[in-house]
Amino acid sequence: MVDPFLATNYNVLEVIFSYLDLRDLRNCALVCWNWYHFLNDESSEVWRMHCLRKLPQEALKSDLLSSVTTYKKRLRAYYHAWNPNDCSRNVYIKPNGFTLHRNPVAQSTDAARGKIGFRQGRHSWEVIWEGPLGTVAVIGISTKEAALQCHGYVALLGSDDQSWGWNLVENMLLHNGDAQGNYPLLNNPPKYQVGERIRVILDCDDNTLSFEKNSEFLGVAFKGLPDKKLYPTVSAVYGNTEVSMVYLGPPLDG
């Protein structure tokens, strides 16, 4: 049986915490064990209210966040989504906050980066190509120095020493303007199908980048990544194609 006094206190905390910003919530979690335990429930009413206030209804009602199982993780994914201020002028971020749309501009390759980059720890996110790939469609990572737009239809991501990408059309790894080999290392690997979820795994401790598809680990794609802040990035050439990105957090394998 729940102590009525504790239940009342929890109800009061729910109301108060639901109006605090995230920085204040982090500080509250350090006050005492009870508050930490209370805020550690990622599916609580507190996190639900924050989700409802911050996330667009279009995102909450779709299956885009189906891989993100708690309210707190959905909120975190939103803060890691595409950056509308760090993308090509030919790209805009849709109202759901997670999907970019490339405008039909001829002879242009266009890219976008996520809002948050990583220099430490292990991170994973899903990329879903929701429109035609065109002749070149690249997913991967880049530093802030990598270009986000160029003339022609090219593999922009991976075209310099500040970006690393996997061209889904040709199953080829790209970096510093050179092809780094076929990927994944399978005989006749299947081509990417529009709508499939690809999981990108960035390990800043081992300085590696890997990919998964359909829950199958495809192997390490890049080793020896630099000690720089690295951002989720994609580049596209096809007009009106759309690409979503959902941050998941540390990989489930630890």
Side-chain angles (χ1 to χ4, degrees):
M1 180 176 179
V2 178
D3 186 325
F5 178 76
L6 288 177
T8 300
N9 279 346
Y10 282 157
N11 289 337
V12 171
L13 286 176
E14 278 185 354
V15 174
I16 295 174
F17 287 163
S18 66
Y19 284 97
L20 298 180
D21 62 29
L22 296 183
R23 178 172 296 180
D24 289 336
L25 287 179
R26 284 195 294 268
N27 292 334
C28 287
L30 301 175
V31 170
C32 65
W33 186 90
N34 281 333
W35 285 19
Y36 170 80
H37 180 74
F38 185 83
L39 290 171
N40 205 40
D41 179 1
E42 297 189 353
S43 294
S44 69
E45 184 68 13
V46 172
W47 295 113
R48 188 183 77 86
M49 291 303 296
H50 277 280
C51 266
L52 290 177
R53 288 197 184 101
K54 190 65 179 178
L55 270 66
Q57 285 296 309
E58 182 180 340
L60 291 173
K61 292 179 178 179
S62 71
D63 65 351
L64 183 61
L65 301 178
S66 60
S67 298
V68 189
T69 55
T70 69
Y71 293 122
K72 184 178 180 180
K73 289 178 180 176
R74 291 182 177 186
L75 191 64
R76 180 180 63 182
Y78 179 75
Y79 282 103
H80 283 77
W82 298 125
N83 189 344
N85 299 313
D86 196 16
C87 59
S88 164
R89 64 180 180 272
N90 299 321
V91 166
Y92 70 85
I93 310 305
K94 295 185 68 176
N96 69 11
F98 293 90
T99 304
L100 66 82
H101 180 102
R102 184 198 176 270
N103 290 323
V105 178
Q107 291 299 318
S108 179
T109 301
D110 305 282
R113 274 188 283 263
K115 295 173 185 171
I116 296 178
F118 313 106
R119 196 167 186 169
Q120 296 178 329
R122 304 177 73 234
H123 306 271
S124 65
W125 58 92
E126 286 184 338
V127 175
I128 311 104
W129 216 282
E130 301 181 83
L133 299 180
T135 55
V136 185
V138 190
I139 65 174
I141 55 173
S142 71
T143 69
K144 280 286 189 178
E145 286 72 39
L148 294 176
Q149 193 275 331
C150 70
H151 179 74
Y153 302 131
V154 300
L156 175 59
L157 187 61
S159 65
D160 56 25
D161 63 355
Q162 299 297 311
S163 59
W164 298 257
W166 174 21
N167 183 3
L168 300 177
V169 177
E170 297 180 347
N171 280 334
M172 184 68 65
L173 296 177
L174 306 164
H175 173 61
N176 203 20
D178 295 324
Q180 303 289 305
N182 294 323
Y183 186 86
L185 294 176
L186 303 171
N187 291 325
N188 299 315
K191 293 290 187 178
Y192 176 80
Q193 301 298 313
V194 170
E196 286 184 316
R197 292 176 181 246
I198 292 182
R199 187 163 298 186
V200 186
I201 303 170
L202 173 63
D203 190 330
C204 296
D205 299 328
D206 285 342
N207 303 110
T208 60
L209 183 69
S210 308
F211 299 92
E212 291 181 1
K213 188 171 72 167
N214 299 327
S215 300
E216 179 184 0
F217 183 67
L218 302 179
V220 173
F222 294 100
K223 299 179 181 180
L225 298 175
D227 183 21
K228 291 185 175 182
K229 190 169 286 188
L230 302 168
Y231 294 79
T233 314
V234 298
S235 67
V237 300
Y238 198 90
N240 292 321
T241 197
E242 297 184 341
V243 188
S244 297
M245 188 263 288
V246 179
Y247 180 77
L248 303 175
L252 293 179
D253 63 359

